[in-house]
Amino acid sequence: YAAAGNLFECNTGTAFGVFDLTENDAVIFAPTPNPTDFVLTYHETEPEADADSNPISATDVVAFSATDGQIIYARFEYQTSGCYETVSFTLNLVDQPLIFPVIDIIICDDISNDGSEPFDLSERTLDILGGQLFANYTVSYYATFADADVGTNGLSIPYTNISSPQPIYVRVEANGGAGCYIVDPNPVFNLVLNHKATASGLSPIPTCDDDSDGKMPFNLEQQTTEVLGSQLPSDFRVTYHETQAEANSNSNPLTSPFTNTTADRQIIFARGEDINTGCFSTIDLELKVLPSPSANTPRDLPICDPESDGFGDFTLTDRDLEISGGVSGVTVSYHETLSDAEDEINPLASPYTNTQINTQIVFARVENPSISTLCATIVELVLVVNPTPQLIDPIPFKKLARLFFEML
């Protein structure tokens, strides 16, 4: 024979449970090759089992009403010799579990925004149990009430949602094999997948170095429209951060103007966040400080004015080499005003006729197209019109002599 197993039934709140004691028949007879050689009876006390008195009737043995913790004694007796053994087992009433209300599981979609993501349903297990001991119960999750009620087609963990919000049904079952469980006919919580804010690919922000130290102030907000793309600005918040970790945690946002801390080139991180859901994504943003070409302030460019009217034609390109210093790849253009030179518009032709009498300042713009046409250095070039000496026709000698004698 084998030791009997303890029996469990669900406590429905009446303090009594109905047990089928014969569930232990197969357990006790398991090692016995010829069960018909033995007689098995059940008793409420050990003395009764030893005396083979007051066995529980065949009717009651399959529907025995008992309180939690009651001990039953089984008598296992040889039919021919009268020798016997007794074993005991306990009848246990298992409290019917409860399901406590919980909040929805809300997560953000990934960058694909395909509407499906894995959910860890077990995040709600302890909250569903409330104060009930985790070790005493099994919590399982289902897509329908019908599945939860019969305990089939349980959802795997992690579980990938098929809709949002998606209702989830819960079954809580007491451990111990009593079939003691509870299922809420209504969804206990929903799986909610929020759209992820997308941060579009960003063009680098270039700016020109004004003092050759590789650092310049940047207006980061000029990239916000590009970060959001077609998303509504009113629904999103864009911040900028020095590190990926700070962008992920939304800490230490940068303010504009921001001066790069790494010379010449620095990668920072833009964070686009949905203000309604908190879902966000990040993207790199490159800050580039471009070198401005060097330029020399040239000597004045003089010409002689044969007509002495203060105007003349200047070959502006005569100062190209002096201004550029002979650096390969550098271009020089000339402009009447500083704003024209800065905006790179209205370049002057050479030769150029001055428009201001005698002296005029024009502006030479120097840039290196192989690096960037964005960055230029501007210097002044002074145009000077020098008057040409004028010769007076001489008086004929005979006329001059006659005038002399007439004066005597």
Side-chain angles (χ1 to χ4, degrees):
Y1 73 98
N6 295 329
L7 300 182
F8 297 84
E9 285 297 332
C10 194
N11 186 351
T12 59
T14 63
F16 287 89
V18 177
F19 296 83
D20 181 359
L21 306 183
T22 62
E23 290 180 9
N24 265 323
D25 286 4
V27 176
I28 296 172
F29 279 129
T32 304
N34 297 306
T36 56
D37 292 343
F38 301 87
V39 175
L40 180 61
T41 56
Y42 295 95
H43 305 261
E44 293 192 53
T45 68
E46 188 173 15
E48 288 177 341
D50 287 334
D52 194 19
S53 63
N54 298 322
I56 298 172
S57 69
T59 302
D60 290 341
V61 79
V62 295
F64 183 76
S65 180
T67 58
D68 181 45
Q70 183 171 346
I71 299 175
I72 298 296
Y73 299 86
R75 176 187 174 96
F76 183 75
E77 180 181 347
Y78 285 91
Q79 295 222 46
T80 56
S81 67
C83 295
Y84 72 93
E85 296 286 347
T86 62
V87 294
S88 66
F89 57 91
T90 303
L91 305 180
N92 300 279
L93 287 178
V94 179
D95 289 338
Q96 183 161 8
L98 301 174
I99 293 178
F100 288 82
V102 296
I103 61 175
D104 295 340
I105 299 180
I106 303 173
I107 66 172
C108 300
D109 206 342
D110 61 18
I111 197 64
S112 70
N113 278 320
D114 62 358
S116 295
E117 279 296 305
F119 284 78
D120 182 3
L121 305 180
S122 64
E123 289 180 5
R124 293 293 177 266
T125 296
L126 291 180
D127 292 335
I128 288 170
L129 289 176
Q132 301 168 109
L133 290 178
F134 174 78
N136 293 344
Y137 300 93
T138 298
V139 179
S140 49
Y141 301 90
Y142 302 84
T144 67
F145 168 70
D147 283 348
D149 197 34
V150 297
T152 60
N153 301 318
L155 301 179
S156 61
I157 298 176
Y159 168 72
T160 299
N161 66 303
I162 57 175
S163 62
S164 178
Q166 180 178 346
I168 299 297
Y169 296 84
V170 173
R171 177 187 177 101
V172 179
E173 189 164 357
N175 298 331
C180 192
Y181 74 93
I182 185 172
V183 175
D184 193 324
N186 299 310
V188 176
F189 63 92
N190 293 291
L191 304 181
V192 179
L193 184 63
N194 286 324
H195 184 87
K196 188 181 188 71
T198 57
S200 302
L202 299 179
S203 305
I205 304 180
T207 193
C208 301
D209 200 343
D210 60 0
D211 57 6
S212 300
D213 67 350
K215 297 181 179 181
M216 286 293 292
F218 289 83
N219 177 17
L220 304 179
E221 281 69 27
Q222 72 184 61
Q223 295 299 98
T224 296
T225 299
E226 190 174 353
V227 171
L228 291 178
S230 61
Q231 299 168 118
L232 290 176
S234 58
D235 290 341
F236 295 88
R237 180 187 301 110
V238 177
T239 53
Y240 300 88
H241 306 262
E242 277 203 76
T243 68
Q244 182 68 66
E246 289 176 340
N248 290 341
S249 63
N250 196 22
S251 58
N252 301 322
L254 302 175
T255 57
S256 290
F258 167 71
T259 299
N260 56 304
T261 56
T262 302
D264 300 328
R265 178 180 181 271
Q266 182 171 350
I267 300 296
I268 64 170
F269 302 87
R271 172 190 171 106
E273 179 181 341
D274 188 317
I275 62 176
N276 300 304
T277 66
C279 294
F280 71 93
S281 62
T282 64
I283 195 165
D284 298 359
L285 172 58
E286 181 182 10
L287 308 180
K288 299 175 69 174
V289 179
L290 303 175
S292 296
S294 60
N296 303 309
T297 301
R299 294 168 295 140
D300 293 353
L301 180 59
I303 62 169
C304 294
D305 182 4
E307 299 178 359
S308 296
D309 62 356
F311 296 93
D313 294 333
F314 291 83
T315 304
L316 302 178
T317 54
D318 286 348
R319 289 291 182 263
D320 282 4
L321 185 60
E322 187 176 337
I323 292 172
S324 68
V327 176
S328 177
V330 169
T331 62
V332 181
S333 60
Y334 299 88
H335 306 263
E336 280 194 342
T337 66
L338 177 61
S339 61
D340 281 357
E342 290 173 338
D343 295 337
E344 197 178 3
I345 59 174
N346 303 320
L348 302 177
S350 182
Y352 165 73
T353 301
N354 58 306
T355 58
Q356 299 175 19
I357 193 169
N358 296 330
T359 303
Q360 181 177 344
I361 294 176
V362 295
F363 299 87
R365 175 188 174 95
V366 182
E367 63 182 44
N368 190 336
S370 64
I371 298 176
S372 173
T373 57
L374 176 68
C375 299
T377 301
I378 298 172
V379 294
E380 295 181 353
L381 171 61
V382 180
L383 307 181
V384 179
V385 180
N386 292 320
T388 300
Q390 301 295 313
L391 297 178
I392 301 173
D393 291 338
I395 300 173
F397 178 76
K398 290 183 178 181
K399 184 177 180 180
L400 181 63
R402 185 175 62 252
L403 290 175
F404 176 74
F405 286 112
E406 287 176 355
M407 293 174 62
L408 293 178

